[in-house]
Amino acid sequence: GGDGGGDFTPASPAGENRRKPTEEQTLVPVTVKMIKEAKDGTLQDGREPYHFKFVAAVREVTKTSTSYNYVVEDGTGCIDVKDWVDDSNLA
């Protein structure tokens, strides 16, 4: 498991560095609805969060060899969340 934060940076074309400067790496509280309505990493209010957090109930858990997959719900909607397994922490 991780710290529960989410990286909202959209996929970058090969060779393009899309990492924001430290002063632009914001933590934004969001709802599932806000995440689903976002376009290209931008919330409807124009903010471009670097990390985000939300509080939700876990409705389903599926474990694979490389990740845990969750279906979570916060009252505004449901969303799938993937938590990658870090093999270095298992030793």
Side-chain angles (χ1 to χ4, degrees):
D3 65 0
D7 185 347
F8 200 58
T9 306
S12 302
E16 183 180 331
N17 184 0
R18 299 216 25 181
R19 184 169 179 92
K20 291 184 176 188
T22 303
E23 64 274 5
E24 293 179 27
Q25 294 179 13
T26 58
L27 175 63
V28 178
V30 296
T31 64
V32 169
K33 182 179 178 183
M34 292 168 68
I35 295 168
K36 287 184 166 186
E37 292 175 348
K39 303 281 190 234
D40 297 322
T42 302
L43 299 174
Q44 285 193 334
D45 64 6
R47 292 182 292 171
E48 295 180 6
Y50 183 76
H51 291 286
F52 61 88
K53 289 199 177 196
F54 62 94
V55 176
V58 176
R59 298 296 184 204
E60 184 179 323
V61 179
T62 308
K63 183 181 185 307
T64 69
S65 62
T66 58
S67 67
Y68 287 92
N69 301 300
Y70 304 93
V71 176
V72 299
E73 185 267 325
D74 73 346
T76 67
C78 291
I79 195 167
D80 296 325
V81 177
K82 183 173 286 203
D83 185 17
W84 295 101
V85 174
D86 183 357
D87 290 337
S88 66
N89 289 337
L90 300 177

